[in-house]
Amino acid sequence: MAAAGPSVFLLMVNGQVESAQFPEYDDLYCKYCFVYGQDWAPTAGLEEGISQITSKSQDVRQALVWNFPIDVTFKSTNPYGWPQIVLSVYGPDVFGNDVVRGYGAVHLPFSPGRHKRTIPMFVPESTSKLQKFTSWFMGRRPEYTDPKVVAQGEGREGENAEAETPKAAQLMPPFSSQ
Amino acid sequence: MNPKEEKVKIITEEVDENDEDAGVGSQKKTSKMARQKRKKPLPAAGPEEMVSENAHLGNQPEPLQEDSDTRPVSMTTRRGPRSLPPIPSASRTGFAEFSMRERMREKLQAARSKAESTLLQEIPTPRPRRLQSPGEKELETEFGTEPGEEAQKTQQEDDSQSRSRVKFRDSVRKIKTKPPVPPGFPSAEEAYNFFTFNFDPEPEESEEKPKAKNRDGTTQEEEEGEEEEPPVQGIHKTDEQLLISATEAEAFLWGLDHTAADFVAVRPADYESAHVRLQMEKELLFVPSRLTVPTYKKLPENVQPRYLEDEGLYIGTRPDVPRTCQNIMENRLLTQEPGRRWFGDDGRIVALPNPIKPFPSRPPVLTQEQDFRAELETLYKKAVKYVHRSQHMIGSGDSPGNFQLDIDISGLIFTHHPCFSREHVLAAKLAQLYDQYLARHQRNKAKFLTDKLQALRNAVQTGLNPEKTHKSLDTTQKTINEYKSEIRQTRKLRDAEQEKDRMLLKTIIKVWKEMKSLREFQRFTNTPLKLVLRKEKVDQKADEEAYEAEIQAEISELLEEHMEEHEQKMEAYRAAYQQWKAWKKAQRAKKKKKKQAVEEHPEEEMGEPYPEEDPVKPVPPEPTDRALMEHQVRERAARSRRRPGEPLLVPELSLAGSVTPNEQCPRVEVLRREDVKRRSIYLKVIFNDKEVSRTDSRPLGADFRVHFGQIFNLQIFNWPESLTLQVYETVGHSGTTLLAEVFLPIPETTIVTGRAPIEEVEFSSNQHVTLDHEGVGSGMPFSFEADGSNQLILMTSGKVSNSVAWAIGENGIPLIPPLSQQNIGFRSVLKRADAISSIGTSGLTDLKKLAKWAAESKLDPNDPNNAPLMQLISVATSGESYVPDFFRLEQLQQEFNFVSDEELSRSKRFRLLCLRSQEVPEFRNYKQIPAYDREIMEKVFQDYEKRLRDRNVIETKDHIDPHRAMVAKYLQQVRESVINRFLIAKHHFLLSDLIVEEEVPNISILGLSLFKLAEQKRPLRPRRKGRKKVTAQNLSDGDIKVLVNIIRAYDIPVRKPTASKFQQPSRSSRTFSEKHAASPPTHSPTHSADYPLGQVLVRPFVEVSFQRTICHTTTAEGPNPSWNEELELPFRAPNGDYSTSSLQSVKDDVFINIFDEVLYDVLEDDRERGSGIHTRIERHWLGCVKIPFSTIYFQAKIDGTFKIDIPPVLLGYSKERSMIIERGFDSVRSLSEGSYITLFITMEPQLVPGESVREKFDSQEDEKLLQATEKFQAECALKFPHRQCLTTVTDISGKTVFITRYLKPLNPPQELLEACPNNPQATAELVARYVSLIPFLPDTVSFAGICDLWSTSDQFLDLLAGDEEEHAVLLCNYFLSLGKKAWLVMGSAIPEGPTAYVLTREQSHYLIWNPCSGHFYGQFDTFCPLKSVGCLIGPDNTDSQDHQVILVTPSFGGTLNYEGYCRRLVKNRSYEVRVPEFKLQCHHLLAV
């Protein structure tokens, strides 16, 4: 925490999106971005990033390892709207279309130090069986208009809640914040 | 050490000699090991056995040779694959050498073995056995198989000589031995297998065989032979046995056959048909039906089942019996016992309540199927001090053990004991009676009652004496009556008491007499009991008098009583008699009548009913007989009272009597006394079911009293739940028996030591004891009579005198546990059923606790056992308990308020945060709210506060007139409300807002996409493809550009040809082009051809300005120039906010100005003309087109031809000429006068326009109408999916209004009508112009956010600003009032996009009016900005009612002619009509 001029505090995050467990899929890449409140502003580092495509490891773990670095610094005057990291994972489907494989979000750790987070991932489900089939066939799965939606509560009640199926996926970005 | 051992050594040494290599060392070791292992089994098989075996061997054909033969073979095999050690030797030494050496060694060995065999008398050599020994095998396998294998290979290849020899030997052996390969000897394959395989599957076999071999101590062949032989013998044996048994059986059969043939007759098997059998069974067996028995069968006839439960009576839960079982039982009972005694009133089998407890009394056994080892595992647990369960604990805070209960057990008296003799029984009885007598005497109730009676009589006497009373007669009479009744009561009581007293005295005397007679009879006394009757002399005369007086008084009283009674009876009699008499009379009269009636209708006599019985003639009550009464009284007195003059008897019981000593007693009595002496008694003190202490064992006295006199101080932790004394009796040394248990009450807390009285608690035992002496025993009948009649059964019983009290501490504080420690909440479920164990005895006095317990244990309120309890509880709880009738929400809020409300409201930061979260416009996007209050400037709130203050103040400074100021204010308010409404709506998301999902393709889309497959890849005329839309999120300045493609223009005004007249007014005014007429631009050669002078009419260029950026095209020439140029203008959003809402409110316009570029030659000197050019460029503004940015934003692209706004008067320019020229090629264009420019405007990248707010507003319209409109709209949307079809709109107050409500004829201002009274067309134009002059203000700008608010014409004129629709509505209304047929056209136009126009019907044609500009277009006008029509809205002219309205959705085909399909919505119904007269030929309107 440093105070400069109008008192703000800084949140420095560096870490990495380590790996993921997507038992069914391979050749995935992930995108990360941050969602934060109005009183927050990024001061340094990258707010968004797209990782390389990674293949499953050949060992028993079958992990998709990215080791994709994250380094960003925020400044804020208000803990309200603490940044959340939003991860979205994409990969090719059977027909080679790039489709989304999971969304997930987690708050940045509140305490300094090394943290490891496992984020359960999910994708919105098609509203009907027929749509599921067509979306599969056309390679246009239902997607969020904006991945940042997953970090917000608004509009996700009711109609959207049942549209989500949790996927057994793990992303473990260890963050350290100071 | 036997010789064998020595031999082994010799051989190994020899081997060592042979293999000098170091590698052999290992072999030696292994062999040694092997031999050592082998040693063990060898001694077991003794030499004698060996010998015998060998002797047996001797029988075989070539024992010796074989012996010698086997050894080399075994040697080779050892050298072969199965022996490891030779490998190194084989590899190092030459094989030839090796083989030589081996041969040598073999020979040597053969020689030796011969010698040995002769020496040792065929003691088998260990060597061959070594190979087969299991130890060896194991060793070899341990060493690993692969090297062995390799060795085998190399040897097989290289050592051919030895191999061949081996083979030869093998073959020899094959011939010699019976089996081709001896089982002990592994073949090559076997050897291979041996090394490669794991021998796991048959370990026993492989182990057993070598063992057997070891035991045998012989070679394989011998063993083989041995092994084979026994089974053969066995078979033989069994064969023989079989034979024998077969013969025997045969013999037996034969014998049997003989007898069977003699007696057995052959018959067909008996067969009973199933039917017959069933019939028989039916007779014998009864199978009760499973069907439900109807209730009427189970009940007596004509009795309805009675359900006690319904009547509110308690019925316990019946045991659960399956329905079918119950049915079977009922059927059985019905058939077996015809009487229905098994069935209850409700028609069910009588059953006791279910005896099964709901809770198990035994703790459940944990039957987890665990590993038994886990269960057996001992767990170490640290020794823990026993912690009492909290419900028993008394005061966790207090020092435990401070409570003390003192139990004083003073003694025990048996009221009956098996050892009681008959006399004892009587004595006990006597003592008991005497006790009773003493108690009665002490109370002396009879005396008290007598006194009372006397007093009452006196009172009556005084009452009857009128002189002495001052009371009214009534009251005295009343009191006297009361007295009298009391006297009667008292007398009865006194009589009863006296009788009891007398009876008691009599019994005492009787028992005493019995006892005396018994003592005389048995000639000894057992008890010292002695009854003395003391006589008290009384005064005979006085006594007699008193007696007589008493009797007389009683008689008189009784008489009085009887008189009263008699009087009453008489009265009753009289009344009854009167009644009877009346009845009699009536009867008589009836009879008379009847007689007459009978005479008349004799046949009716029979049917005469006698409904009422004859009342019995009442008997008059007998008067009371005084003599009889006196007799009765005297009799009773004699029975219950002491006779006059009789002395008063006072019994006195004393223990003064002497007991006959043992010597004088008969034997049985002596035995009894000895038995008594042998017995001793002790007591155990049981506290809370745990023995805490016991008294000393005291011998039972001859008087059957035991004195203990012991005090036990119980220091207790736990609340006393039960306190029990157990009486144990010891008979000699035979052991103790539990006689009885005495339950002591827990003392009340007020009882402390010293104050506690000694109490006698009775006990009794149900034990049966028969004794062989005088003792009467217990539980056994006995009799005092000689003939054994009048039997008595007495049970062991007695009294324990004790006292229980709480102790008093040193400082005088009683050591009593506090009552509050008892907590019923901890009670186990088991105890729930029992109130006392659940809440403790003292809990019973606490009604609340009791009620709570009752509620918890769910007592059945109908159970009669619980009835008094329930009543008590209901009484107790109704009055006392207090239930608060309010519910406190967030009762902990106070605790969590870390700052007071005032402080919170004073905080600037909090206020800022609040305002931001409320989305107040000033703070909606406020970023980085400072962290501290002090950093927040006061001016932050200034604007907001000012706005709040000024809300109702109308400022006139900013506006021209107060009206406009008011309008602005009003608009502001409307805007605010709209904003608020939309802010709410903005937070409502639909699924489509969040999730992008492909729609399910329907057939048409699928077909289209299929069709697309067949499409040309590169069509000649490519279609414009939709660009990707960009959501405004990450945009910044400079990202967005407005592209303006200026294609061409038509009918640009040209310079007036008259200009040539002024060719030389001044030199400077000469145009450049004029000067250079010789080189006309090639751009429009046709034109230049037309102009004889080759004069350029106009050189127009277009300048586009947007947001202070100006771009212009190149200059073209002629009135119909073609530029085809794209201009790029950067777009900057206000405040850098590229959000949708911000973009919507951009008010900037794109100005497209058309200029004429004029070049003037300003060269003053003609001489310089050859060397220099000096011209001046002038731009003459010709006209402009203004397109609002919002239009571009919402339309995404604007493509079309626009009419250029040209000022009415353009000096120096005219259009006439062009008119003449153009008329030739397009007659349609001639209709429109003006210039046109074709433009294509779009944005790069394409922005996604915000969606209009979907919100359902409430409405005042009829529900039916709304439904109809919805239906209509849905139908239209189905038919024309892209057409804008409006039925309802939102009015300015945010309500849904039916669209035609806006349309009503309105009178235009009178001045307009009066202007051209004769020319309706001119009037219409004037009106249109009037309307168009009202300022245009798009809704998006005025009301922020995409919404379409329709203000009425009235409101519109008030606000003096409005959208297209307001203009259109007003214009339409004016036209309607002018008597025109007018409709509102909802369509899309250029450049406005979706807009509203007005359509009027003139005599022969239709006119389309643009309400915002006031222009009108003919229906065939090519340049009509209205490009498509969604629907027409107008009042139904065919109908008289104004509000009945037709909504027309014209359908446009690709053809020019309009097809008259209409759909009208009239009031509440929509239906289709064909409107033939409505034929609008607007072929220029394109299909949407």
Side-chain angles (χ1 to χ4, degrees), chain B residues 251-270:
Chain B
F252 180 70
L253 266 176
W254 273 109
L256 199 83
D257 258 7
H258 281 295
T259 49
D262 291 342
F263 304 112
V264 175
V266 182
R267 255 193 227 163
D270 272 347

Side-chain angles (χ1 to χ4, degrees), chain B residues 1295-1367:
Chain B
K1295 288 207 172 96
T1296 306
V1297 175
F1298 191 42
I1299 198 162
T1300 55
R1301 298 249 185 266
Y1302 288 92
L1303 295 179
K1304 195 182 166 92
L1306 281 178
N1307 282 329
Q1310 203 57 41
E1311 299 91 336
L1312 301 178
L1313 297 176
E1314 283 164 1
C1316 328
N1318 300 323
N1319 189 353
Q1321 179 61 27
T1323 313
E1325 280 173 41
L1326 209 58
V1327 168
R1329 171 142 179 84
Y1330 172 76
V1331 170
S1332 71
L1333 286 175
I1334 299 171
F1336 177 84
L1337 193 66
D1339 281 343
T1340 48
V1341 176
S1342 49
F1343 308 124
I1346 319 291
C1347 65
D1348 206 15
L1349 296 189
W1350 285 48
S1351 42
T1352 61
S1353 297
D1354 188 27
Q1355 285 164 335
F1356 175 52
L1357 289 172
D1358 260 354
L1359 295 173
L1360 292 176
D1363 216 345
E1364 301 106 349
E1365 55 263 14
E1366 279 91 22
H1367 286 89

Side-chain angles (χ1 to χ4, degrees), chain B residues 1451-1482:
Chain B
S1451 77
F1452 299 103
T1455 57
L1456 299 178
N1457 273 329
Y1458 156 78
E1459 175 59 42
Y1461 166 76
C1462 301
R1463 191 160 185 89
R1464 40 194 277 173
L1465 180 78
V1466 179
K1467 263 294 195 195
N1468 303 338
R1469 291 182 301 127
S1470 78
Y1471 48 90
E1472 257 175 56
V1473 279
R1474 284 203 170 262
V1475 194
E1477 84 273 15
F1478 189 83
K1479 212 158 206 178
L1480 172 63
Q1481 288 204 328
C1482 30

Side-chain angles (χ1 to χ4, degrees), chain A residues 5-8 38-41 75-78 80 124 126-127 130-131 134 140-146 149 154-156 159-160 163, chain B residues 909 913 916 923-932 934-935 986-1001 1033-1034:
Chain A
S7 38
V8 292
Q38 280 177 312
D39 298 325
W40 290 76
K75 75 168 181 186
S76 174
T77 57
N78 196 353
Y80 173 75
S126 295
T127 37
L130 180 63
Q131 270 178 321
T134 53
R140 303 252 185 92
R141 304 286 170 93
E143 280 182 38
Y144 285 119
T145 50
D146 186 357
V149 165
E154 237 174 29
R156 300 183 60 203
E159 73 269 26
N160 205 24
Chain B
R909 186 163 186 263
L913 289 168
R916 188 175 69 178
F923 307 102
R924 196 180 305 153
N925 292 316
Y926 200 94
K927 283 182 176 162
Q928 300 252 329
I929 288 175
Y932 299 104
R934 57 174 142 70
E935 286 169 357
K986 231 166 79 176
H987 292 283
H988 294 161
F989 291 93
L990 290 183
L991 182 65
S992 55
D993 293 340
L994 292 175
I995 293 173
V996 186
E997 191 174 15
E998 288 281 303
E999 273 181 39
V1000 179
Q1033 42 188 359
N1034 299 315

Side-chain angles (χ1 to χ4, degrees), chain B residues 700-716:
Chain B
L700 190 64
D703 51 355
F704 294 96
R705 280 164 191 265
V706 185
H707 177 72
F708 294 108
Q710 280 184 305
I711 295 173
F712 300 99
N713 301 327
L714 302 185
Q715 293 212 329
I716 55 171

Side-chain angles (χ1 to χ4, degrees), chain B residues 994-1027:
Chain B
L994 292 175
I995 293 173
V996 186
E997 191 174 15
E998 288 281 303
E999 273 181 39
V1000 179
N1002 54 27
I1003 282 294
S1004 66
I1005 293 173
L1006 275 175
L1008 224 90
S1009 56
L1010 280 173
F1011 181 70
K1012 264 182 190 168
L1013 290 175
E1015 218 176 15
Q1016 281 171 299
K1017 285 284 175 204
R1018 291 175 63 196
L1020 278 175
R1021 193 176 159 230
R1023 277 181 164 184
R1024 183 176 279 128
K1025 274 183 185 166
R1027 287 170 301 161

